[in-house]
């Protein structure tokens, strides 16, 4: 752990004499001793830091070596290895950039939409549980009635003195400039609490599953002055019982009776917005697709709307009475072979082979 400012950890000036260092160490070691903070990982970590700082600064010779080497100092007295030098630079650069990230404040939300909602576009009200700054303590975590004390080490600036290369936040107040003497009664010191907020999201027409809508600033707030995160709404379009989506186009299976397909008809079909009438020409074959232009989905980019494709299927009648069956058989017998040219060609092929 070379990238530590030991003076910052002990909260003493770089010119502090041996007696001051000893006093600071004793006070902090008592405060953060694991026996006084059972089960606290943070206390254990701090106690280790404090021990390490004390080991380096208690002995004048070791202290002089530390002052000379700075971030390249190693408690064991050996020079740093090349990989450890990388570690020094990585952690210094890491500290510079980490404070700008607000990724962990972003919230994810999955929004289920029907195809009809995709067609029209819709405003949806979401109830989003998010972390917001505590109103009682405005995020400090301290009782507003004198629960805060200015950090003695940095005098309230939140900044550590010492080389710039090291972390610049004060170790004792974690850069906040104050310590909490008595926690806020509302949030018990957390500075944040969960609140269910109603958020309206405007879903544009034509969105597809997997697309994300970003609501800037509607994610979690931070304790301090940082900007709140974003709310990322993932769209998930539910399967429709009738329509199949193909990009901007939609497909509908259109069952016709043998009589309708043979003689032609006018069929009323469902669309996303209501119904439409389509003319079926006589002799329409199964598998043929009829197109209703512009009755598909709108495009997010406001280009032309997609189409509604009607895929013809022939529905074979079942559960016929005896009279219906014989009428159908009589009708079939009355037809010449030319009425079914494909079937006639197959029958001819069979005869030629026997
Ligand atoms: Zn509070
Ligand atoms: Zn401080």
């Amino acid at each position: 752990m070379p990238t530590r400012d030991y003076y910052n950890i002990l909260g003493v000036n770089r010119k502090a004499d041996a007696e001051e260092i000893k006093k600071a160490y004793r006070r902090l070691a008592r405060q953060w001793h694991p026996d006084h903070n059972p089960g606290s990982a943070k206390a254990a970590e701090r106690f280790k830091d404090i021990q390490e700082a004390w080991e380096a600064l208690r002995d004048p010779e070791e202290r002089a070596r530390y002052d000379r080497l700075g971030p390249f100092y190693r408690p064991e007295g050996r020079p740093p290895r090349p990989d450890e030098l990388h570690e020094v630079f990585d952690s210094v650069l890491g500290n510079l950039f980490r404070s700008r990230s607000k990724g962990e404040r972003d919230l994810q939300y999955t929004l289920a939409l029907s195809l009809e909602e995709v067609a029209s576009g819709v405003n949806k009200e979401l109830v989003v549980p998010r972390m917001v700054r505590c109103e009682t303590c405005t995020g400090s975590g301290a009782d507003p009635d004198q629960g805060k004390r200015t950090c003695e080490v940095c005098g309230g600036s939140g900044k550590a003195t010492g080389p710039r290369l090291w972390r610049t936040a004060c170790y004792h107040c974690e850069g906040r400039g104050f310590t909490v003497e008595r926690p806020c009664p509302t949030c018990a010191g957390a500075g944040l609490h969960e609140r269910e907020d109603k958020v309206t999201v405007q879903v544009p027409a034509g969105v597809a599953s997997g697309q994300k809508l970003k609501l800037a600033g509607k994610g979690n707030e931070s304790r301090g002055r940082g900007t709140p995160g974003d709310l990322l709404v993932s769209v998930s379009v539910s399967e429709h019982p009738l329509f199949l989506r193909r990009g901007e186009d939609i497909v509908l299976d259109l069952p016709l009776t043998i009589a309708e397909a043979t003689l032609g008809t006018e069929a009323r079909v469902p669309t996303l917005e209501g119904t439409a009438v389509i003319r079926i020409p006589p002799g329409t074959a199964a598998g043929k697709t009829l197109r209703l232009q512009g009755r598909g989905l709108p495009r997010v980019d406001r280009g032309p709307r997609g189409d509604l494709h009607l895929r013809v299927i022939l529905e074979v009648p079942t559960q016929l009475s005896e009279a219906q069956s014989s009428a159908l058989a009589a009708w079939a017998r009355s037809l010449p072979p030319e009425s079914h040219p494909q079937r006639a060609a197959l029958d001819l092929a069979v005869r030629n082979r026997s």
Side-chain angles (χ1 to χ4, degrees):
M1 290 303 213
T3 56
R4 302 295 189 80
D5 184 345
Y6 291 148
Y7 294 100
N8 184 11
I9 289 173
L10 293 184
V12 294
N13 192 286
R14 311 193 83 75
K15 296 188 184 95
D17 61 27
E19 193 54 37
E20 270 179 82
I21 288 174
K22 193 186 200 172
K23 259 165 65 186
Y25 163 70
R26 285 203 174 145
R27 185 174 55 81
L28 288 169
R30 218 170 17 247
Q31 185 186 344
W32 293 104
H33 198 283
D35 289 354
H36 300 157
N37 303 273
S40 164
K42 182 180 162 183
E45 183 76 18
R46 292 213 150 203
F47 188 71
K48 235 177 85 210
D49 288 350
I50 290 155
Q51 289 296 339
E52 189 183 309
W54 168 239
E55 289 305 324
L57 299 186
R58 63 186 293 189
D59 176 64
E61 249 174 68
E62 196 67 9
R63 183 178 169 185
R65 207 165 68 79
Y66 173 75
D67 287 344
R68 204 168 57 243
L69 293 173
F72 303 107
Y73 169 84
R74 283 291 172 289
E76 307 85 37
R78 59 174 172 78
R81 293 190 308 265
D83 58 313
E84 287 173 329
L85 285 180
H86 278 294
E87 197 186 294
V88 171
F89 292 119
D90 282 353
S91 86
V92 168
L93 292 175
N95 277 334
L96 287 177
F97 290 109
R98 202 170 306 138
S99 58
R100 291 188 198 164
S101 147
K102 63 187 179 93
E104 65 221 42
R105 280 175 239 146
D106 291 344
L107 286 174
Q108 310 280 342
Y109 191 101
T110 303
L111 177 64
L113 295 173
S114 69
L115 210 52
E116 281 87 354
E117 289 172 326
V118 172
S120 60
V122 67
N123 282 353
K124 282 274 187 181
E125 197 171 74
L126 318 179
V127 178
V128 183
R130 56 194 289 254
M131 299 306 288
V132 292
R133 216 165 282 157
C134 172
E135 289 84 0
T136 310
C137 63
T138 60
S140 74
D143 190 330
D145 181 23
Q146 300 183 347
K148 233 183 196 182
R149 197 163 76 185
T150 303
C151 174
E152 294 162 349
V153 176
C154 63
S157 72
K159 294 194 181 77
T161 55
R164 282 217 161 243
L165 196 57
W166 267 313
R167 66 161 119 179
T168 50
C170 171
Y171 180 87
H172 298 267
C173 60
E174 292 168 341
R176 305 177 81 200
F178 60 87
T179 52
V180 175
E181 290 298 294
R182 215 169 42 250
C184 164
T186 308
C187 64
L192 295 167
H193 65 97
E194 197 181 84
R195 191 174 73 197
E196 288 194 335
D197 276 1
K198 282 187 186 153
V199 178
T200 303
V201 53
Q202 294 182 329
V203 182
V207 291
S209 283
Q211 288 181 344
K212 283 198 171 74
L213 307 166
K214 184 166 120 177
L215 280 82
K218 299 290 184 188
N220 288 331
E221 290 186 347
S222 65
R223 294 182 67 169
R225 274 162 298 191
T227 45
D230 302 326
L231 173 62
L232 300 167
V233 177
S234 273
V235 170
S236 167
V237 183
S238 312
E239 252 184 61
H240 197 280
L242 289 174
F243 302 110
L244 201 67
R245 183 176 190 173
R246 290 273 180 272
E248 274 76 44
D249 292 344
I250 50 174
V251 180
L252 172 70
D253 278 341
L254 174 62
L256 295 179
T257 66
I258 292 174
E260 285 172 335
T262 309
L263 305 174
T265 185
E266 282 199 339
R268 186 169 280 281
V269 295
T271 67
L272 284 170
E273 279 94 9
T275 60
V277 173
I278 183 165
R279 205 180 63 79
I280 312 291
T284 295
K288 189 177 165 63
T289 300
L290 306 163
R291 191 163 67 110
L292 281 173
Q293 199 181 353
R295 303 305 282 265
L297 293 169
R299 289 170 201 265
V300 178
D301 62 11
R302 294 166 195 273
R305 272 182 84 126
D307 303 326
L308 170 58
H309 298 275
L310 301 165
R311 203 159 54 183
V312 172
I313 43 180
L314 268 195
E315 186 161 30
V316 174
T318 56
Q319 295 176 316
L320 300 185
S321 70
E322 226 166 274
Q324 288 162 340
S325 295
S326 49
L328 189 60
W331 170 72
R333 274 194 304 274
S334 76
L335 297 173
E338 301 83 66
S339 301
H340 292 105
Q342 289 180 49
R343 177 58 187 266
L346 193 79
D347 287 347
L348 183 65
V350 170
R351 272 202 304 279
N352 286 346
R353 277 159 197 261
S354 51

